Amino acid sequence: MNRAKMRTSTFAAVAVLAGSALAACGSGAGSSGGNTGGGGAVENAKVAFLMPDLASTRYELQDKPLFEAKMKQLCPTCQVIYQNADSDAAKQQQQANSALAQGVKAIVIDPVDSAAAATIVKSAQSQQVPVIAYDRPVPATPADYYISFDNEKIGQMIAQSLVDHLKKENAKGGILQVNGSPTDAAAGLIKKGIHSAVDPSGFKLLAEYDTPDWQPEKAQTWVSGQITQFKDQIVGVVAANDGTGGGSIAAFKAAGVKVPPVTGNDAEVAAAQRIIAGDQYNTISKPIKIVAEAAANTAWEFMQGKKPAGKTTLYNTPSELFVPTVVTKENIKEVLFDSGIMKAADVCTGEYAKGCEELGIK
């Protein structure tokens, strides 16, 4: 994807969000309809924000504070009940039950286990509490709404970016595919997208792995075994997120062999540093601010008794899917730093300072 298209996609996503925010803010003042009795009835209301794991740093550092800040803007007197399940589906069920017992008016949930989360959806809906699936869908039992970046598109984009690079470099060999958690429906969509680019690429898929709970250590252990088996046949690794990408890179370094191009997704600070250093080939910029604020806007509408319409439908659920941007060394300055998504002071530290200077990142 060229830079012009990247900017167009990013601006389009922000424009869509801005429209949603204006609509939500407009509806938040003086509304008198709906099941909860309008704006006055939701003062001091509670909303649950249930995140899935600590393996990805984004939930604590980005999703939580951004969602809370937007909710405070929309409803200063409302309370956000935040919980992280730390990759434990049973724990997430308990957290949801606790939130319902506390009388939340809406639940925003990023499921640990997309299948198990169906029970949470059914329980909440039986109590007339709307559920917004966040980042990961709940295929078996439709939530009331689904907000995410387009996960299948993410898989296709990171894989195609790698394939194009390998062809440009006249690489000869095969690819490893490191997928996300087998219990995560979003990981399944990313996996599908990866296959859509890798399968017809002409590069042999040497092996693939579904990483339990997205754990980087498990990805590293698996990739280490593949290095022993395939050695220099491996010319690239499509990893489904930055954590599994980082684990893959660590495996090559531990083996004392050259690190091939490795993909990622989430644009974590550590991934940006690896790209600047030349260890990771790409990641995906999907500004968490976009989905976190969209989730807050949607939750606020539901809390007022409204039923927001989806921009599309996925798994029989009204949905809003935003388009992400592929980030490589060539455009990292523009996409992550010039845009204000990241600050040089947070990334260009220690050993990465020289690389940032070479790329003009200040």
Side-chain angles (χ1 to χ4, degrees), residues 222-266:
W222 180 79
V223 172
S224 294
Q226 307 315 302
I227 294 171
T228 300
Q229 180 177 353
F230 295 109
K231 300 181 174 61
D232 58 2
Q233 293 181 55
I234 305 168
V235 295
V237 179
V238 185
N241 78 340
D242 290 333
T244 54
S248 300
I249 290 166
F252 285 96
K253 290 192 170 186
V257 297
K258 182 181 178 181
V259 180
V262 178
T263 72
N265 159 37
D266 282 339

Side-chain angles (χ1 to χ4, degrees), residues 72-261:
K72 186 173 182 62
Q73 177 188 341
L74 294 169
C75 179
T77 62
C78 288
Q79 178 187 350
V80 175
I81 296 175
Y82 171 74
Q83 296 287 342
N84 190 302
D86 196 13
S87 302
D88 186 334
K91 184 176 182 180
Q92 190 168 62
Q93 176 73 64
Q94 293 169 358
Q95 291 170 344
N97 291 343
S98 174
L100 289 169
Q102 293 178 65
V104 294
K105 296 296 184 183
I107 291 177
V108 178
I109 182 170
D110 193 337
V112 172
D113 184 317
S114 295
T119 302
I120 295 174
V121 174
K122 290 176 182 176
S123 179
Q125 291 176 342
S126 72
Q127 299 178 49
Q128 288 75 54
V129 175
V131 178
I132 299 146
Y134 179 83
D135 199 31
R136 306 175 183 179
V138 184
T141 300
D144 295 273
Y145 208 88
Y146 174 49
I147 291 174
S148 178
F149 280 90
D150 188 332
N151 287 296
E152 186 172 338
K153 185 68 174 176
I154 286 171
Q156 187 274 330
M157 290 170 73
I158 58 174
Q160 192 61 56
S161 170
L162 178 71
V163 166
D164 291 345
H165 174 71
L166 294 178
K167 288 183 176 179
K168 183 178 179 180
E169 297 295 315
N170 295 314
K172 305 295 180 184
I175 292 173
L176 296 179
Q177 182 171 328
V178 186
N179 304 312
S181 173
T183 63
D184 176 358
L189 292 170
I190 294 172
K191 179 178 179 178
K192 182 179 178 182
I194 291 172
H195 275 290
S196 73
V198 171
D199 293 352
S201 69
F203 291 99
K204 182 179 180 181
L205 180 58
L206 298 172
E208 69 176 299
Y209 176 65
D210 294 340
T211 310
D213 299 325
W214 292 92
Q215 289 292 332
E217 298 82 2
K218 293 179 181 178
Q220 180 177 345
T221 299
W222 180 79
V223 172
S224 294
Q226 307 315 302
I227 294 171
T228 300
Q229 180 177 353
F230 295 109
K231 300 181 174 61
D232 58 2
Q233 293 181 55
I234 305 168
V235 295
V237 179
V238 185
N241 78 340
D242 290 333
T244 54
S248 300
I249 290 166
F252 285 96
K253 290 192 170 186
V257 297
K258 182 181 178 181
V259 180

